[in-house]
Amino acid sequence: MPVVPLKEIVDRAFAERYGVAAINVVNDLTMEAVLAAAVEQRAPVIIQTSVKTVRSIGVDLLFAMWREMTAGIEVPVALHLDHCPEREVISVCLQTGWNSVLFDASRLPVAENQRQTIEVVAEARSFGASVEGEIESITGVEDGVGTDEEADRESLPVALEFIRTTGIDVFAPAIGNAHGVYQAEPKLDAQRVSDIVAAQPIPIALHGGTGMTDAQFTDLIARGCAKVNISTALKITYMKSNLAFLRQAEERGKWDPPSLFTAVRADVMAMAADHMRRFGSVGKAW
Ligand code: 13P
């Protein structure tokens, strides 16, 4: 099963109540390692790119990497653009072949966000792509997007009206979750997920996955969080793995880059596989 529309991946996960790991990658090594973990675990996976990563690597090179690495892949995978406030970047990624985008207009008043999200959904549909939407910014700055201030949550009727009117495929509500490292166990408003899903059965994206407990994942996934976002855990694993290897290399006076890549790849694969297990998506590939 090759690259599929993101909607297909999250709809199945939502129906069967497991979570699909949606992991932000930062370069070729991490993209390959997360895909390899998905193949090894027979799990569907969503590869996410921030706007910063799109800019640092370049749209064409990033997509060429994706195309090569997923050619003939045996598990369902999709490429998703994470938090993107810029319409031009959304258009370029959709034209290039991304399977899904998160149009992040959460800084705009809901009515304007809704108006523009309708346009993004129409644009995405013309490429067979999916759209994730949000009406409150998720706390924390990630790759230069967002704010550390916790946003006020909109009412249930406002959220439902946004979901129905825009026709988005995935909804990302603020539930007390945050990007980055939690200083204390987050207090999550799981009931909000249940209220939204009961009124409008739509797969929910759980942002700020790094640092949540197994109990929180299990509960939220059972309530309808079908897409679980992980970014900080990959960044930490990647950098700590490099650091540990380089410290050893210095001690031993051995400088062999391919061995570094092999060690870091193994650690990133283990991190990704661990999340797939915790989200219940192992063996769910079709
Ligand atoms: P973390 O950085 O907390 O893992 O959150 C990832 C995320 O939600 C990406 O949008």
Side-chain angles (χ1 to χ4, degrees):
M1 175 58 57
V3 178
V4 296
L6 179 129
K7 182 173 167 52
E8 201 176 318
I9 292 181
V10 291
D11 279 358
R12 279 200 190 220
F14 182 69
E16 294 180 31
R17 290 297 197 265
Y18 59 86
V20 176
I23 303 184
N24 289 59
V25 300
V26 294
N27 61 6
D28 53 347
L29 186 148
T30 51
M31 181 186 281
E32 194 279 331
V34 173
L35 289 169
V39 171
E40 187 188 72
Q41 300 301 322
R42 304 282 321 144
V45 77
I46 297 163
I47 296 288
Q48 305 199 131
T49 59
S50 70
V51 175
K52 189 175 182 181
T53 299
V54 171
R55 291 224 163 89
S56 78
I57 297 176
V59 184
D60 291 334
L61 179 54
L62 192 48
F63 192 72
M65 280 160 41
W66 165 256
R67 202 178 37 223
E68 284 299 313
M69 289 180 195
T70 56
I73 196 157
E74 290 162 6
V75 295
V77 295
L79 181 62
H80 174 77
L81 177 66
D82 198 21
H83 294 284
C84 182
E86 294 165 57
R87 295 284 298 273
E88 318 83 71
V89 178
I90 289 206
S91 296
V92 171
C93 286
L94 287 173
Q95 283 156 19
T96 306
W98 264 249
N99 307 108
S100 173
V101 295
L102 166 50
F103 176 47
D104 183 348
S106 54
R107 72 201 182 286
L108 299 176
V110 179
E112 177 58 13
N113 178 347
Q114 191 162 296
R115 190 189 70 74
Q116 290 201 36
T117 302
I118 289 170
E119 293 177 355
V120 171
V121 169
E123 187 181 355
R125 294 285 179 270
S126 71
F127 295 100
S130 313
V131 177
E132 179 179 333
E134 64 175 274
I135 51 176
E136 304 116 359
S137 61
I138 308 293
T139 311
V141 181
E142 188 140 77
D143 282 359
V145 178
T147 160
D148 283 328
E149 306 236 324
E150 187 160 352
D152 289 336
R153 292 178 209 161
E154 301 289 345
S155 68
L156 181 62
V158 168
L160 296 176
E161 151 86 4
F162 179 85
I163 295 165
R164 288 190 186 121
T165 313
T166 57
I168 52 170
D169 306 291
V170 185
F171 184 59
I175 56 166
N177 45 344
H179 295 137
V181 176
Y182 292 106
Q183 299 312 319
E185 190 178 312
K187 291 199 173 33
L188 301 175
D189 183 359
Q191 188 56 42
R192 188 163 190 228
V193 174
S194 296
D195 292 346
I196 294 167
V197 167
Q200 182 71 40
I202 182 172
I204 300 293
L206 177 60
H207 283 250
T210 301
M212 286 184 190
T213 64
D214 283 349
Q216 287 174 323
F217 283 134
T218 304
D219 177 44
L220 288 161
I221 290 167
R223 290 171 188 265
C225 289
K227 172 175 181 282
V228 187
N229 287 11
I230 298 292
S231 175
T232 302
L234 180 137
K235 290 176 181 170
I236 293 174
T237 300
Y238 180 76
M239 294 197 70
K240 285 197 171 168
S241 179
N242 273 282
L243 188 61
F245 189 93
L246 290 171
R247 281 198 171 126
Q248 251 185 28
E250 187 167 46
E251 260 171 39
R252 295 178 185 165
K254 275 189 85 177
W255 302 99
D256 178 42
S259 319
L260 167 69
F261 305 150
T262 303
V264 176
R265 175 183 190 264
D267 286 346
V268 173
M269 274 185 74
M271 181 282 304
D274 177 53
H275 283 96
M276 289 163 190
R277 275 192 290 274
R278 295 170 73 195
F279 302 164
S281 63
V282 169
K284 298 290 187 185
W286 60 91

